[in-house]
Amino acid sequence: ELSWLMVIQDPPMCMEWQFTGSEFKSETMRSFTKSGDQVQFVVWPALYLHDNGALVAKAIVQGMKTEKKGRKNQK
């Protein structure tokens, strides 16, 4: 029902799901239970007022930490 009400607006509201594997951006995302520098999976999508419109609600994503290449501890 909620999705239907979002779609029948003029212009329709927009959800963004394509975050998996991307860089974590605090402007449009919020951590679920784990934080990290990349997105492992999406719990809830970002919600926009319309396509290319203002952000209504941030996405909730599960983060994962990635190892930085080229950095080694040398003693």
Side-chain angles (χ1 to χ4, degrees):
E1 186 177 343
L2 180 61
S3 297
W4 175 251
L5 292 172
M6 290 170 32
V7 170
I8 63 171
Q9 299 298 312
D10 188 26
M13 294 182 84
C14 181
M15 288 192 260
E16 183 178 8
W17 288 89
Q18 286 86 10
F19 293 121
T20 303
S22 66
E23 177 186 351
F24 182 87
K25 296 180 183 171
S26 60
E27 307 87 45
T28 58
M29 300 175 198
R30 200 171 74 186
S31 294
F32 183 51
T33 59
K34 294 181 183 177
S35 60
D37 55 349
Q38 281 194 338
V39 177
Q40 185 174 12
F41 61 86
V42 178
V43 177
W44 188 255
L47 182 61
Y48 293 91
L49 193 56
H50 54 82
D51 197 22
N52 296 321
L55 181 66
V56 175
K58 289 184 177 185
I60 301 173
V61 299
Q62 182 79 357
M64 65 179 175
K65 297 195 186 290
T66 57
E67 295 182 22
K68 305 282 185 193
K69 292 184 179 179
R71 292 190 162 215
K72 293 182 181 180
N73 292 334
Q74 296 178 353
K75 293 183 180 180

